Amino acid sequence: MRLLQEKVDETIRALGGYFRPLSGLARLIEEVGEVGEALEANDDQSLKAELVDVLMISTCLSNQYVTDLAEQHRRLGTEHDQEQGSFYRLVHEAGQVARVMNGYEGDKPPKRTEDIIPIGTSLARLQRELFRLARPLELDLLKEIDQTNEKNLRRDRTRFALTRDPVTEETIDHFRSATGNTERLWGAPVHEAGMLLEAHIRAALPSLRRFLRCARIEGIDGFIIEAPIERSDSLLRVKEQADQIGRIIKEQTPLSFKEAPYRIDVYAPQLGPVSPYHAEDDHRMFLVLHVDE
C-alpha cells in the first residue's frame, strides 16, 4: 500500500496537484455511484474499471491527510479478509468519509459529543470493500491501478489547472532538507521574495485552519511555516520573526487556544548544530505548529 500511495502521489503531482478535498470527495461519490451502475447492469468490465477508479481517488484523499494506508489495512486485517463484498457497505463507508470531511472542510462541524472516526480508517474500510468486490472478478486492483496511473498521465497531463495542497507544498521539502525530519506534515506556501511576512502568513491561514480542525484526529504531526532569515542574522531577529508569526496566527485562527491547544517550535540556522532545533539553511527559518493532545 505504501508503494501504491507513492505511485499515486507521483502521478497526481505530475498532473498538476490534488483536487481540493471537497472536489475529491465529490469525485469519490461519483465513482461509487458508477460502481452501482455497473453492478445493476451486470457489466463486469465496467465494474472492474470503476473499482480501480474508486481505489485511485480514495488513495488520493488518503495522501492528502497523510494517512498510512498500510498500517490502516494491517489493523483491519485486509490481507487475510475473505468476506463477500457488499455495495451497501461500500456506500456506507463512502458516507462515513463524507461525514468526516464535511467536519474538516465543510460547513457542518462535528458535534462535541460525536466520536469522530479518522478519515484514514474510513478510507481503508472503503478500500477493503473494493478488494472484496474485486475478488470474484479475479481482479488484482493493485496491479490494475499501475496501468490506470500510466493512462492518466498520458490522457490528463494538460487537462487540469495547477492546484495547491498543504501536503505538496515545497515548504515541507525545504524543512526536511534542513532538518532531516520525517514526520507526517502539512505545509504553508513557500515564502516569496519580497512578500511581507504578514501577507505570507495570511496566505497560509486557510490551510492552517484546516490543520487545526483535523490534525489531532488524523495524527498529522505538524504544520510548517517558513520565514526569511539569513544565517548572519542575530538570534534576536529569529525571536522577532517568530513572535510576529505567532501573533498573527493567534489573531487569525478561528479556534481559541483553549479549544485547540497548540505549541510552536522554531528551527533556525542560528540554533547550533547540537540543538534539536537547528535548521541547516542559509536563508530560511521554520516554525512548526503542533496541536497538543
Side-chain angles (χ1 to χ4, degrees):
M1 295 304 294
R2 289 193 178 95
L3 183 59
L4 166 66
Q5 288 187 264
E6 290 173 4
K7 288 183 176 180
V8 168
D9 186 64
E10 290 173 4
T11 299
I12 295 301
R13 288 174 187 254
L15 292 175
Y18 288 93
F19 287 107
R20 291 184 297 275
L22 291 181
S23 295
L25 176 62
R27 287 288 307 278
L28 179 71
I29 300 302
E30 176 188 358
E31 299 297 347
V32 168
E34 290 176 357
V35 168
E37 289 179 14
L39 284 168
E40 189 174 26
N42 291 317
D43 185 342
D44 285 354
Q45 288 305 115
S46 292
L47 178 57
K48 290 179 180 180
E50 301 307 338
L51 291 174
V52 172
D53 286 345
V54 177
L55 181 61
M56 178 74 176
I57 191 64
S58 61
T59 302
C60 288
L61 290 171
S62 298
N63 286 352
Q64 288 178 273
Y65 291 95
V66 210
T67 295
D68 184 344
L69 281 175
E71 175 60 19
Q72 292 292 339
H73 281 291
R74 185 193 66 77
R75 293 176 183 177
L76 291 175
T78 302
E79 183 179 359
H80 304 292
D81 177 77
Q82 293 297 320
E83 281 198 38
Q84 185 176 356
S86 165
F87 178 67
Y88 297 107
R89 282 199 299 264
L90 182 68
V91 172
H92 170 75
E93 296 302 345
Q96 288 294 108
V97 172
R99 175 180 295 173
V100 177
M101 287 192 64
N102 200 16
Y104 293 162
E105 315 287 350
D107 301 321
K108 185 185 177 184
K111 300 174 183 176
R112 291 184 178 275
T113 57
E114 184 178 355
D115 289 331
I116 302 175
I117 299 173
I119 197 168
T121 301
S122 294
L123 287 166
R125 288 177 178 173
L126 180 145
Q127 290 184 345
R128 179 177 62 181
E129 213 56 48
L130 296 177
F131 291 120
R132 289 171 174 172
L133 289 167
R135 194 180 303 122
L137 302 171
E138 298 183 348
L139 173 65
D140 185 338
L141 282 174
L142 296 180
K143 181 178 179 181
E144 289 294 325
I145 203 168
D146 282 342
Q147 298 177 13
T148 298
N149 281 334
E150 293 175 6
K151 179 185 71 175
N152 288 343
L153 279 172
R154 291 193 302 269
R155 183 191 66 192
D156 296 336
R157 187 174 291 275
T158 60
R159 184 180 175 195
F160 302 114
L162 179 67
T163 57
R164 310 191 72 145
D165 191 274
V167 79
T168 58
E169 294 289 1
E170 289 183 38
T171 300
I172 299 173
D173 298 328
H174 294 165
F175 178 69
R176 293 197 195 283
S177 177
T179 65
N181 186 286
T182 59
E183 292 180 304
R184 299 170 61 193
L185 302 170
W186 277 13
V190 168
H191 180 268
E192 302 291 345
M195 177 181 279
L196 294 177
L197 187 59
E198 186 160 350
H200 171 56
I201 302 306
R202 289 184 186 280
L205 288 176
S207 293
L208 178 55
R209 292 185 181 113
R210 291 173 54 207
F211 172 81
L212 290 173
R213 285 186 177 185
C214 71
R216 183 188 295 110
I217 298 167
E218 297 302 326
I220 304 173
D221 295 308
F223 186 90
I224 312 299
I225 299 171
E226 67 177 38
I229 201 81
E230 296 299 321
R231 189 182 290 271
S232 58
D233 287 342
S234 67
L235 196 57
L236 177 60
R237 177 60 178 157
V238 172
K239 182 179 184 302
E240 290 172 347
Q241 291 272 69
D243 287 347
Q244 184 179 359
I245 293 171
R247 174 183 57 78
I248 297 169
I249 290 173
K250 186 175 181 180
E251 290 174 352
Q252 297 296 325
T253 51
L255 302 175
S256 71
F257 182 83
K258 184 177 180 180
E259 291 173 322
Y262 57 82
R263 73 179 193 278
I264 296 177
D265 293 334
V266 179
Y267 294 75
Q270 285 76 5
L271 301 169
V274 297
S275 169
Y277 300 103
H278 175 70
E280 188 55 40
D281 192 304
D282 290 336
H283 308 293
R284 302 180 187 91
M285 59 180 284
F286 302 91
L287 279 77
V288 185
L289 189 145
H290 305 273
V291 175
D292 290 335
E293 295 294 334

